Amino acid sequence: MKTILDYETVALVDEDDAIEIIDQTLLPGRIEIIRLHTAKEIWDAIYLLQVRGAPAIGVTAGFGLYLLMKHSQAGTFEEFMKELREKSDYLNSSRPTAVNLSWALKRMEAHVVETAGSSFDRAAVIDEMRAESERIKAEDIDVCRRIGENGLTLIKDGDGLLTHCNAGQLATCKYGTATAPMYLAHEKGWNIKVYCDETRPLLQGARLTAFELHSAGIDTTLLCDNMSASLMKTGAINAIFVGCDRVAANGDAANKIGTSMVATVAKRYNVPFYVCAPTSTIDINTATGNDINIEQRKSEEVTEMWYSERMAPEGVKVYNPAFDVTDNELITGIVTEYGVLRAPYDKAIKELFEKKNA
Ligand code: MRU
């Protein structure tokens, strides 16, 4: 039987000048595949979380920029770049916290600059953009698999694992980041038990993570966000894996709101807390977590969404940041495609980028 894992999170449909995504706002009740054609449709899909999760947003942005430039009529390289930068800035304004969005857009722009050559050949430049956007997607799958292999070294058969939000296949193009060790453990026949925080207010844990892990046949248990301390206290959790939207140069990590609370409780109960991060999510230009722009979202997500009637008094003030920052001292390890980084993270991250760029 076809499950949610058999659908592509993000795909390019070149012949229709479209990006195809699963509309994640409808999950798990309905699997609906939609196509995005215009800049506004792509912007809205990212803002509304029809496509979400840092790597998946990056892949969507790459495909989006290619498609938006595919029919450019620019006569000179300068005109082409001006148009490209305008479209890139627009897509980049859809969500502020996940660095993969600007990372993918900058990578597309840099690739155009590198490959353009001295005489401007528009068709060739557009072909290069297509190839680069497909590479971003292919690399995402490879990187997630490698994060899974590195994460697997941190767990064993029979472990109980906790995760927060959705850093699963639905947030990437395959495997997920935080879920990659879980999928690989399951592939090996290990009996792991995964606990998913429901993740208020948008319920990514309940609607997405529990859905995909349960569909894969993994032993999955859902809990409300305020239950993880009592669960950790029982000793049921051997390790926690979460994704992230941006890791600062000192190892502070922004992820879905509630992550830092989980990390704080994990410290209290001596449960290892791992942040899974492709190097595309590490932002060496952001010094610390204090420098990360945290997205604030609409109050209705807290007061009304998912309820059959409003559950808060009209006019009450609402605090609704979409992400929080986990201080680096609460993080046991950062699992990247190159290995598991350990504190001091400023040094580990610097060395990783030096090696990667060598
Ligand atoms: O608001 P969302 O659903 O896009 O938030 C997603 C997360 O916080 C994920 O954990 C993060 O993007 C990593 S996805 C591999």
Side-chain angles (χ1 to χ4, degrees):
M1 201 186 77
K2 195 168 177 179
T3 76
I4 187 63
L5 296 161
D6 298 312
Y7 292 86
E8 291 212 69
T9 309
V10 187
L12 176 66
V13 188
D14 216 1
E15 63 282 8
D16 188 30
D17 291 345
I19 306 170
E20 202 164 71
I21 59 164
I22 306 164
D23 181 348
Q24 298 194 26
T25 61
L26 304 175
L27 297 176
R30 211 161 83 226
I31 299 178
E32 197 171 306
I33 308 301
I34 57 170
R35 286 190 178 181
L36 315 171
H37 298 92
T38 65
K40 172 85 167 63
E41 283 170 358
I42 300 167
W43 193 99
D44 283 348
I46 296 174
Y47 177 74
L48 295 170
L49 275 58
Q50 288 175 303
V51 58
R52 29 83 33 221
I57 294 172
V59 173
T60 305
F63 284 152
L65 194 58
Y66 155 63
L67 289 174
L68 297 177
M69 292 306 292
K70 188 175 169 187
H71 300 291
S72 167
Q73 292 303 312
T76 65
F77 182 64
E78 289 66 34
E79 279 168 25
F80 187 87
M81 289 311 289
K82 184 171 176 285
E83 195 182 329
L84 182 147
R85 287 188 186 116
E86 278 165 15
K87 296 198 174 359
S88 174
D89 288 348
Y90 176 66
L91 293 181
N92 196 32
S93 67
S94 53
R95 293 192 81 189
T97 306
V99 70
N100 300 61
L101 176 59
S102 58
W103 170 86
L105 292 167
K106 279 187 209 145
R107 176 169 159 169
M108 292 290 289
E109 180 179 334
H111 188 69
V112 169
V113 172
E114 268 162 36
T115 55
S118 47
S119 62
F120 175 56
D121 177 346
R122 199 174 58 217
V125 168
I126 290 166
D127 278 351
E128 281 295 342
M129 289 188 77
R130 183 187 195 288
E132 188 68 357
S133 65
E134 287 284 20
R135 268 193 294 272
I136 292 174
K137 177 174 173 177
E139 280 174 28
D140 177 48
I141 297 171
D142 175 57
V143 160
C144 287
R145 171 103 201 170
R146 285 158 62 196
I147 287 176
E149 283 158 6
N150 293 330
L152 202 58
T153 65
L154 305 167
I155 60 175
K156 56 183 189 320
D157 194 4
D159 272 358
L161 308 173
L162 177 78
T163 189
H164 189 78
C165 191
N166 175 266
Q169 173 157 315
L170 287 163
T172 64
C173 292
K174 203 170 165 61
Y175 305 111
T177 57
T179 56
M182 301 166 188
Y183 284 124
L184 296 199
H186 186 64
E187 260 177 42
K188 281 169 80 83
W190 287 6
N191 237 330
I192 48 160
K193 291 187 190 327
V194 182
Y195 295 84
C196 308
D197 285 345
E198 70 173 346
T199 319
R200 283 278 296 155
L202 294 181
L203 307 184
Q204 289 94 331
R207 296 189 305 105
L208 309 177
T209 310
F211 181 43
E212 56 166 276
L213 294 174
H214 184 65
S215 302
I218 293 176
D219 182 333
T220 306
T221 305
L222 178 65
L223 59 148
C224 299
D225 298 330
N226 51 4
M227 297 171 185
S228 59
S230 83
L231 181 66
M232 282 187 234
K233 198 172 180 179
T234 67
I237 303 300
N238 301 93
I240 298 167
F241 288 90
V242 296
C244 62
D245 288 80
R246 191 182 298 244
V247 179
N250 71 343
D252 290 346
N255 190 47
K256 180 53 54 193
I257 191 70
T259 304
S260 71
M261 191 171 72
V262 176
T264 306
V265 174
K267 184 97 170 169
R268 167 69 182 82
Y269 293 113
N270 289 317
V271 180
F273 181 90
Y274 298 108
V275 170
C276 297
T279 45
S280 56
T281 305
I282 303 178
D283 181 7
I284 48 171
N285 298 316
T286 294
T288 75
N290 292 333
D291 306 304
I292 299 175
N293 183 357
I294 300 293
E295 177 184 12
Q296 298 287 329
R297 292 187 64 92
K298 288 189 180 144
S299 58
E300 290 77 12
E301 290 179 351
V302 176
T303 55
E304 290 169 43
M305 220 167 160
W306 319 114
Y307 294 125
S308 57
E309 58 185 280
R310 190 184 163 94
M311 280 295 145
E314 288 289 351
V316 75
K317 288 190 284 184
V318 172
Y319 177 62
N320 187 20
F323 302 96
D324 61 22
V325 173
T326 300
D327 300 327
N328 57 19
E329 68 259 30
L330 298 175
I331 299 171
T332 313
I334 300 178
V335 187
T336 75
E337 69 270 33
Y338 293 100
V340 182
L341 307 183
R342 304 280 182 174
Y345 292 110
D346 50 356
K347 186 165 169 279
I349 289 172
K350 195 162 169 275
E351 283 171 5
L352 172 67
F353 276 79
E354 276 165 7
K355 217 187 304 168
K356 199 181 157 213
N357 298 330

